[in-house]
Every structure is written in structure tokens, then in C-alpha cells.
């Protein structure tokens, strides 16, 4: 297709499609920022969010948009539970950073296959009552998907505002920078940690719910993208929610560009190669 | 007798041996040298697929194909190692994980080369002793596995092994003492990954048909949990771990205890659920694993003389 069209589609589609990713990256960054380790089990936040939404929507018959609320809130609760029951005790026992990653992979398997045991291995779909089919910049898309992407974008921006413009956001960032100093200033680390994990869980859950609109809901939807989320977090200079947003958008655009030219799989591979390269250039050497 | 020897048991035991070998390699990489390689199954799988392609598409004889597959795997390891081994531990873990996913996707995608999920094969054994073929092959694998463990055992008490341990314990210190840690890590990484490729090539005829899932995250994960469970720092950690995980689930539960067809999927999910749970619990409550940490004693000669002096 002519170059200008290509550019236009890439930018718009890339930006929209990356909205859930940006949300997930924000949540992931919050945890990494606060606790300093890579939580691979975060992938399951997305998956759990999506499955919870399916439970409310397809199984209990709620309206799709309505189900988003309890599903995401519950996802936040689950996230807090993983913190209180697994990660916090582990950190207290002095589990090292690398072992924490392995631990989180283990937890990820527990959650993912636990979901399989509870829900079965079938694929689920959302039950959306009324949806219109539109053509958006040459791409077939439903009105629901468009709304979801829009919501994701708005919520992502909301997180940004929260982190940078409010008191609580400032407290959270202070805590992540220097826990001792924050404590001395009268900030309760446990309460703030719980809040952070809750928000991260909600963000992840929402990301999962919004992703589930585009494809089937299955237990690997989180696992499939966790590396990309990690990539976005790393590129966005871990610790910066702002960075995560920008990186997320760029990644979405790049992926779309590569996918439009070749196949989706190559897009994924390109991302992962970028990922390894970025690891090399951002981390301090041993 | 012939039936037992060529039947399912031999298949399972051969694979068990290969997994033990792989877990021991992982022990050498992570438990001894501190390289958190989450993509070990890739090197194993690469060796397997390379061997298969050499034998099936280029008609290269068995022994040569094994050697070539091993060397090729080593080259891949060298390239990757060169790139990531001077990063910190977390990055190595995550980078190898990314590498794992890349190769997994590639192998499934490049159908013209690997036949994707349809599988590639059948891969013949290098000799034919009729009904005893598989058993003899099993013995050969046993030989190599034992050789590997002997090598690993020797490494534990050799100066080179101590160098590797020092890299894990405190790399900056080792560097300050003039040890070329980066170079050593690359060499050792390349060597051990090549070994993984070797076992991959050897495993190919046992599997007969190769599928991409043999390299997948699940294999890597199984190896990791086996090693952590069995004790990553102990020589026999891999062995114990594999016996408790793969031995228990894949051998015992599926062969000795017959599971009805409908429950197969549940068993699959339950298996990885339990694996994950075990990993979490072990890392939280007994991070040193079943066999515990290795007691490293300082080898002082003439200790008796010292004791007499103090007494």
C-alpha cells in the first residue's frame, strides 16, 4: 500500500492497539519500581482479569461494560493477595532478586494452570449484546473494540495523572526511590505497598479484559505478552510511568509496522530481539 | 524380555536419563557458575532439530551428524553468550527467556524447514540389533550421562570449578583478582550448551518424531523446578530433582498407574500446577533444595599439626 497510508494506519492502529499494553506496562512498572524485582506472575493479572470478566459477563449474564468493574477490582485484590501471601514473605526471608523472578515464574504457572483446572481448557468469548462493525482506517473493527481501546487510553492517562499530579502518586514514587527516607517521613510502607499492588492488579486486569475483546480468552493471554510488557517497562526506563506510556505506544506502532509488512510472528520476534538489545544497553554490566 | 526392552519403559528411561543429564548441565550453569539460563531447552532442542535435519535432509551419517549438531549448538551459545553474559543475573534470566520464545516461534513458523507442529521424522537409530536396538541405545545414553556426572563431580573439586564458583559468589572480586570472568563464562556457557545440544541429538532417535513443544517453556521450566527442588548446588541435585518430578509424573503416574483418557488433560494441568506450587514453596521455605546446600570445607593440610599447636 502507498507509504502515506501505511504510515497513517501504522500510527493510528499501533497507538490504539498498544493501549492495553500501555496499561499493563504501567501496572508492571509500579511493582518493579516499588519492590525492585521482575514479577513474571504479573502476566496472570491480565489473564485473571479477563477470566473474571468472562465469569461476570458470559456466565452470570452481566452486561460487558458492567462486568469490567468487578472484574478489574477483583483482579486488584488477587494482586494484593499474591503480594501478601507470596512475595512479601519471600522478600522477608531474603530471597534474592534472581530467585524472585524464578519464584514469580512458579507462581505464574500455579495461577495459569490453576485457571485451566477451574475453568477448563476451552476458549471463551465475551458476550456483547450490541456491536457495530466499522471500518477504521482500513481495518475492520467493532465498536466495542474501539470503545475498549479508548477506555484503555483514558485509564492509562488517568494513571499518569495520578502518579504525577496527586499527593498519593507522589508518595508512591517517593517510596520507590528510597524506602527508608519515606518511612522516616511518616509514610507507611505496607499500606502504600498494598495500594500499589492493588492498582497494578487493576491495571493488569483491565489490560487483560481489553485484550480479550480482540481475541479468544484463554489462559495464556497474559503469558504471551509478559515479555513485551517487560520490554516496554525496560525501555520506558523502569520507574517511570511516563516512560512506560511512551514506550508502550512506540512498541505498538513498531509491531504494527512490522506486522503489516510481514507476518505477526515476525513482529513478535522483532520485538524480542529489540528486547535483548535493550537489556544489553540499559543494564549496568557486572 | 525383548518386548520389555524395546517397549515403553526403555523409551521413558532413556528420556529420564537425558533429562537428568540436562538438569546436571543446568546445575553446572546455574548452581556452580551462577548463569541463570532459562533457555536451556532451546540448546537441547536445537541440537535435536539440527541433528534431525542433517540426517533426514542431508543424509549425513549418524556420528558425524551428532558432532555437527553439537558444534552448531555451541556456536549459537557462543553468539548469545557473548551478547548477554556480562549482564547481571536477572537480565541473563530474562534475556534467555526471550531467546526461548524467539526460537519457539521461529521453529513453529518456519514450516518449510521444520514442518512446524506437524513434526519431523522418523529418525532412525544408528544401528540395528533387532529387538534389542533400543536397549543398546539406552545403554549408550547411560554411558554418556554417567560420563557427564563424573565430569561434573571432578569439576567440583578442581581449581577450574572453584573459579566458576567464585564467579557466582562474587564476580567483581574475582575480576579484581585478575580472573577473566567474562571470557570464562562464555567458554563454559558455550561448552555446556553444546553438551545440551549433544544430548538433544542423542535423544532424537528415541523420540523418533520431533515436535516444537520439545523445546518449549514447559521443558525449561520442568528442568528448573527439578534442579531447584533437588538442590541447585549439589552434583546430584539434578538427578534427584528429575526423579522426583519427571520420574514421578511422567514415568510413574502415566505408566504404572493408568490414567483414563478423559483425565489426561486434568493430569497435564495438575502437573504444571503442582510444579509451580512446589517451586514457590521450595524457594520460600527451603531454597537450598532437598539435598541442601553444599558444605564447602577448606582443605588444610596437616590439620593435626595445627590442632596440636592450639591444644
Amino acid at each position: 500500500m502507498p507509504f502515506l497510508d501505511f504510515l497513517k494506519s501504522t500510527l493510528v492502529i499501533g497507538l490504539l492497539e498498544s493501549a492495553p499494553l500501555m496499561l499493563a506496562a504501567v501496572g508492571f512498572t509500579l511493582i518493579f519500581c516499588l519492590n525492585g524485582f521482575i514479577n513474571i506472575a504479573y502476566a496472570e493479572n491480565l489473564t485473571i482479569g479477563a477470566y473474571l470478566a468472562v465469569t461476570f459477563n458470559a456466565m452470570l449474564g452481566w452486561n460487558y461494560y458492567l462486568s469490567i468493574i468487578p472484574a478489574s477490582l477483583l483482579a486488584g485484590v488477587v494482586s494484593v493477595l499474591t503480594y501478601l501471601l507470596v512475595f512479601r514473605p519471600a522478600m522477608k526471608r531474603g530471597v534474592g532478586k534472581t530467585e524472585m523472578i524464578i519464584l514469580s515464574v512458579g507462581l505464574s504457572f500455579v495461577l495459569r494452570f490453576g485457571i485451566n483446572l477451574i475453568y477448563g481448557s476451552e476458549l471463551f468469548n465475551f458476550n456483547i449484546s450490541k456491536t457495530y462493525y466499522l471500518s477504521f482506517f482500513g481495518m475492520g473493527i467493532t465498536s466495542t473494540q474501539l470503545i475498549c481501546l479508548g477506555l484503555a487510553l483514558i485509564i492509562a492517562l488517568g494513571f499518569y495523572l495520578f502518579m504525577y499530579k496527586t499527593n498519593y502518586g507522589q508518595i508512591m514514587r517517593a517510596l520507590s526511590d528510597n524506602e527508608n527516607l519515606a518511612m522516616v517521613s511518616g509514610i507507611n510502607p505496607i499500606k502504600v505497598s498494598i495500594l500499589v499492588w492493588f492498582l497494578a492488579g487493576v491495571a493488569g486486569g483491565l489490560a487483560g479484559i481489553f485484550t480479550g475483546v480482540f481475541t479468544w480468552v484463554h489462559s495464556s493471554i497474559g503469558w504471551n505478552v509478559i515479555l513485551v510488557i517487560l520490554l516496554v517497562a525496560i525501555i520506558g526506563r523502569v520507574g517511570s510511568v511516563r516512560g512506560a506510556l511512551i514506550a508502550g505506544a512506540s512498541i505498538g506502532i513498531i509491531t504494527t509496522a512490522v506486522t503489516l509488512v510481514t507476518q505477526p510472528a515476525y513482529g513478535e520476534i522483532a520485538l524480542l530481539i529489540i528486547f535483548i538489545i535493550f537489556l544489553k544497553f540499559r543494564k549496568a554490566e557486572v | 524380555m525383548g518386548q520389555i526392552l524395546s517397549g515403553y519403559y526403555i523409551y521413558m528411561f532413556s528420556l529420564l536419563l537425558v533429562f537428568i543429564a540436562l538438569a546436571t548441565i543446568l546445575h553446572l550453569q546455574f548452581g556452580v557458575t551462577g548463569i541463570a539460563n532459562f533457555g536451556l531447552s532451546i540448546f537441547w532442542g536445537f541440537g535435536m532439530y539440527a541433528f534431525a535435519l542433517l540426517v533426514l535432509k542431508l543424509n549425513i551419517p549418524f556420528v558425524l551428524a551428532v558432532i555437527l549438531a553439537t558444534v552448531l549448538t555451541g556456536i549459537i551459545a557462543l553468539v548469545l553468550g557473548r551478547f548477554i553474559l556480562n549482564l547481571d543475573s536477572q537480565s541473563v534470566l530474562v534475556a534467555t527467556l526471550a531467546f526461548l520464545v524467539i526460537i519457539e516461534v521461529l521453529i513453529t513458523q518456519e514450516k518449510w524447514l521444520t514442518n512446524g507442529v506437524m513434526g519431523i521424522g522418523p529418525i532412525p537409530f544408528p544401528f540395528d540389533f533387532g529387538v534389542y536396538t533400543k536397549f543398546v541405545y539406552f545403554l549408550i545414553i547411560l554411558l554418556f550421562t554417567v560420563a557427564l556426572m563424573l565430569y561434573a563431580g571432578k569439576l567440583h573439586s578442581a581449581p577450574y570449578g572453584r573459579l566458576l564458583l567464585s564467579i557466582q559468589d562474587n564476580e567483581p572480586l574475582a575480576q579484581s583478582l585478575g580472573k577473566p570472568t567474562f571470557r570464562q563464562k562464555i567458554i563454559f556457557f558455550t561448552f555446556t550448551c553444546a553438551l545440551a545440544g549433544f544430548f538433544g541429538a542423542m535423544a532424537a532417535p528415541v523420540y523418533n518424531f520431533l515436535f516444537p513443544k520439545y523445546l518449549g517453556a514447559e521443558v525449561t521450566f520442568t528442568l528448573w523446578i527439578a534442579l531447584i527442588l533437588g538442590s541447585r548446588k549439589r552434583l546430584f541435585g539434578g538427578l534427584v530433582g528429575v526423579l522426583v518430578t519427571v520420574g514421578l509424573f511422567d514415568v510413574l503416574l502415566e505408566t504404572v498407574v493408568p490414567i483414563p483418557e478423559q483425565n489426561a488433560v486434568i493430569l497435564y494441568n495438575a502437573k504444571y500446577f503442582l510444579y509451580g506450587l512446589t517451586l514457590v514453596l521450595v524457594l520460600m521455605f527451603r531454597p537450598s533444595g532437598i539435598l541442601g546446600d553444599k558444605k564447602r570445607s577448606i582443605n588444610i593440610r596437616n590439620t593435626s599439626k595445627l590442632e596440636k599447636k592450639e591444644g
Side-chain angles (χ1 to χ4, degrees):
Chain A
M1 56 173 98
F3 189 66
L4 211 56
D5 273 345
F6 173 74
L7 205 61
K8 217 173 27 167
S9 322
T10 310
L11 277 176
V12 175
I13 297 176
L15 192 65
L16 280 182
E17 288 210 327
S18 66
L21 192 62
M22 287 197 280
L23 261 183
V26 166
F28 185 84
T29 303
L30 283 176
I31 294 180
F32 188 86
C33 206
L34 188 71
N35 294 115
F37 71 90
I38 296 171
N39 179 12
I40 299 281
Y42 186 76
E44 310 325 313
N45 255 321
L46 277 80
T47 314
I48 289 177
Y51 267 82
L52 284 171
V54 164
T55 313
F56 281 104
N57 173 246
M59 296 186 187
L60 293 180
W62 287 30
N63 170 271
Y64 172 70
Y65 295 108
L66 216 54
S67 347
I68 296 182
I69 303 174
S72 54
L73 291 177
L74 280 175
V77 171
V78 170
S79 171
V80 173
L81 284 176
T82 62
Y83 172 65
L84 290 176
L85 295 176
V86 179
F87 292 114
R88 189 177 167 81
M91 286 192 288
K92 291 208 119 139
R93 284 170 194 275
V95 178
K97 292 283 166 69
T98 313
E99 278 81 5
M100 285 299 265
I101 306 184
I102 304 175
L103 180 73
S104 68
V105 173
L107 185 63
S108 167
F109 268 66
V110 168
L111 292 173
R112 193 152 32 110
F113 287 94
I115 288 180
N116 271 339
L117 286 173
I118 298 176
Y119 284 88
S121 304
E122 43 188 285
L123 303 172
F124 289 93
N125 228 350
F126 286 119
N127 209 353
I128 305 172
S129 41
K130 250 191 324 179
T131 184
Y132 306 96
Y133 287 88
L134 311 164
S135 170
F136 193 74
F137 283 93
M139 196 177 92
I141 195 173
T142 68
S143 61
T144 315
Q145 291 171 337
L146 210 53
I147 296 178
C148 282
L149 291 177
L151 276 176
L153 211 57
I154 294 174
I155 296 177
L157 286 174
F159 265 100
Y160 171 73
L161 288 173
F162 176 77
M163 285 298 278
Y164 288 94
K165 307 285 182 190
T166 67
N167 250 351
Y168 243 115
Q170 203 162 23
I171 293 176
M172 278 163 54
R173 284 186 295 133
L175 196 62
S176 65
D177 275 334
N178 192 330
E179 178 160 345
N180 288 325
L181 187 58
M183 277 203 287
V184 165
S185 327
I187 298 174
N188 182 343
I190 300 187
K191 268 208 289 186
V192 179
S193 293
I194 293 183
L195 180 65
V196 169
W197 280 78
F198 178 73
L199 286 177
V202 170
L206 283 171
I209 298 173
F210 291 139
T211 313
V213 182
F214 285 89
T215 145
W216 300 96
V217 173
H218 55 92
S219 58
S220 295
I221 54 176
W223 176 258
N224 282 344
V225 294
I226 185 66
L227 284 175
V228 181
I229 296 175
L230 186 53
L231 170 64
V232 172
I234 288 181
I235 294 183
R237 308 255 145 218
V238 254
S240 163
V241 171
R242 185 171 18 211
L245 287 172
I246 298 178
S250 332
I251 293 296
I253 294 174
I254 295 178
T255 318
T256 314
V258 176
T259 308
L260 281 177
V261 174
T262 56
Q263 292 172 3
Y266 289 129
E268 190 175 343
I269 294 181
L271 271 185
L272 291 169
I273 294 182
I274 295 177
F275 178 64
I276 297 183
I277 295 177
F278 252 91
L279 270 180
K280 174 108 179 154
F281 286 118
R282 81 129 197 139
K283 286 272 194 175
E285 311 201 340
V286 172
Chain B
M1 188 62 177
Q3 266 220 318
I4 298 180
L5 289 183
S6 65
Y8 191 60
Y9 289 101
I10 288 296
Y11 170 74
M12 282 272 95
F13 286 136
S14 307
L15 289 182
L16 206 61
L17 278 180
V18 172
F19 268 73
I20 290 177
L22 285 174
T24 309
I25 292 176
L26 189 62
H27 152 74
L28 289 176
Q29 287 186 342
F30 184 58
V32 174
T33 320
I35 301 174
N37 184 2
F38 242 83
L40 186 62
S41 63
I42 288 296
F43 299 102
W44 175 66
F46 181 81
M48 219 173 23
Y49 264 86
F51 169 79
L53 289 171
L54 287 171
V55 165
L56 293 176
K57 302 236 166 141
L58 296 179
N59 283 320
I60 295 183
F62 185 89
V63 177
L64 188 59
V66 171
I67 296 177
L68 276 177
T70 309
V71 170
L72 284 173
T73 313
I75 294 178
I76 302 265
L78 181 64
V79 170
L80 183 69
R82 184 106 198 18
F83 207 61
I84 65 169
L85 281 178
N86 59 346
L87 299 176
D88 62 287
S89 200
Q90 299 178 70
S91 303
V92 170
L93 197 159
V94 169
T96 49
L97 185 61
F99 185 62
L100 173 76
V101 178
I102 292 179
I103 301 291
E104 217 181 337
V105 171
L106 267 179
I107 293 229
T108 320
Q109 271 297 111
E110 303 301 320
K111 294 194 176 55
W112 58 271
L113 190 63
T114 63
N115 236 359
V117 286
M118 298 274 286
I120 187 172
I123 299 164
F125 284 90
F127 41 68
D128 191 0
F129 295 129
V131 98
Y132 293 102
T133 308
K134 295 193 186 169
F135 182 65
V136 174
Y137 198 73
F138 162 76
L139 290 178
I140 295 181
I141 296 185
L142 181 63
L143 195 75
F144 280 110
T145 309
V146 170
L148 174 70
M149 309 232 16
L150 282 174
Y151 164 72
K154 277 252 137 141
L155 200 62
H156 275 242
S157 43
Y160 187 59
R162 279 201 284 277
L163 171 63
L164 295 173
L165 281 166
S166 76
I167 294 180
Q168 186 192 162
D169 277 339
N170 193 335
E171 190 164 349
L173 179 60
Q175 281 174 335
S176 74
L177 292 172
K179 302 294 176 190
T181 58
F182 184 42
R183 187 151 53 98
Q184 290 303 331
K185 277 200 291 191
I186 294 183
I187 295 176
F188 194 64
F189 183 70
T190 306
F191 175 61
T192 45
C193 286
L195 280 180
F198 169 77
F199 278 96
M202 293 297 284
V206 179
Y207 275 122
N208 200 31
F209 256 91
L210 304 181
F211 301 99
K213 70 176 181 193
Y214 291 150
L215 307 97
E218 279 142 10
V219 174
T220 288
F221 185 70
T222 306
L223 288 173
W224 269 88
I225 167 165
L227 184 66
I228 301 256
L229 183 59
S231 290
R232 79 188 89 131
K233 304 222 174 184
R234 301 292 289 257
L235 171 62
F236 290 107
L239 190 143
V240 168
V242 168
L243 285 177
V244 173
T245 52
V246 180
L248 195 68
F249 273 95
D250 291 321
V251 179
L252 215 62
L253 274 182
E254 289 200 11
T255 42
V256 178
V257 179
I259 307 278
E261 195 64 45
Q262 325 87 275
N263 295 343
V265 176
I266 298 182
L267 184 67
Y268 177 81
N269 288 323
K271 174 169 84 170
Y272 287 105
F273 175 80
L274 286 173
Y275 278 1
L277 191 62
T278 312
L279 191 58
V280 172
L281 290 175
V282 168
L283 279 174
M284 278 177 70
F285 298 110
R286 190 169 163 87
S288 52
I290 291 181
L291 294 178
D293 248 332
K294 190 177 161 127
K295 256 198 180 151
R296 259 184 278 151
S297 50
I298 305 175
N299 215 344
I300 302 180
R301 304 236 173 117
N302 301 325
T303 342
S304 50
K305 279 199 188 148
L306 268 173
E307 278 171 8
K308 277 185 195 153
K309 264 195 192 161
E310 303 208 27

